[in-house]
Amino acid sequence: MVRARYDLLEDFPDLQFSINGGIDTYEDMEEHLGKGVHGCMVGRAVINRPWMFSTVDTRLYGEASNPIANRRELLLKYVDYAEEEYARAMVEQPNYAPKLRRGLLRHTANLFVAEPKGKKFRYELDQRLNVKTMGVRDCVLAAMEELHAETL
């Protein structure tokens, strides 16, 4: 848990404070919010375990749940977006497009951290991304084949 200066909340009641750094769990966020901070910025934890935080709005704020039911649905919707961006880059910036392709998909690899065959998914996705002629959708679908249906 990050050591926070909660006294600033009392010293400057007209300001809003958010905490940043070292926040890895819902419990960390709940503790800070419970002590009066106005927000928690979570960076690396979300990048490293994005699916874990898919219900953050419901859990912390009581808002509607994530409209995406599972990781399969998330990946398929994201692939649609990634394909559009990649196609646009091929027209507008063809020299940059190969880097963008990898950049668009690199964080999808972490959707299955600590899941059965998650490491195999990451490996296969990386291998497919090295095939320059393989489309974005094909890279992801091929890597998804490595996962158990219940993981998706």
Side-chain angles (χ1 to χ4, degrees), residues 26 29-30 33 52-68:
Y26 281 118
M29 290 184 273
E30 289 165 343
L33 291 169
M52 183 180 116
F53 292 96
S54 65
T55 58
V56 69
D57 293 334
T58 301
R59 179 148 177 194
L60 294 181
Y61 305 107
E63 295 180 9
S65 182
N66 184 348
I68 303 295

Side-chain angles (χ1 to χ4, degrees), residues 5 8 22 42 47 99 112 146 152:
R5 297 266 326 267
L8 291 173
V42 182
I47 290 170
K99 288 182 182 180
F112 304 100
E146 300 299 326
L152 286 165

Side-chain angles (χ1 to χ4, degrees), residues 67-110:
I68 303 295
N70 55 51
R71 288 177 272 202
R72 177 190 310 275
E73 183 182 342
L74 174 68
L75 277 171
L76 295 176
K77 285 184 184 257
Y78 184 74
V79 163
D80 291 341
Y81 162 78
E83 280 188 317
E84 288 175 19
E85 290 299 309
Y86 181 68
R88 188 169 55 81
M90 287 296 285
V91 172
E92 296 174 6
Q93 298 175 311
N95 292 333
Y96 173 67
K99 288 182 182 180
L100 177 65
R101 180 172 162 262
R102 182 170 285 280
L104 284 166
L105 295 179
R106 75 174 175 203
H107 295 302
T108 62
N110 290 337

Side-chain angles (χ1 to χ4, degrees), residues 8-10 12-19 36-41:
L8 291 173
L9 296 166
E10 293 175 17
F12 300 96
D14 295 339
L15 298 179
Q16 292 192 355
F17 290 92
S18 293
I19 192 153
V37 298
H38 299 89
C40 294
M41 291 182 261

Side-chain angles (χ1 to χ4, degrees), residues 121 124-125 128 134 137-146:
F121 171 83
E124 292 299 329
L125 181 62
R128 299 313 192 276
M134 195 168 209
R137 178 175 300 280
D138 292 335
C139 288
V140 173
L141 292 178
M144 284 172 64
E145 288 178 14
E146 300 299 326

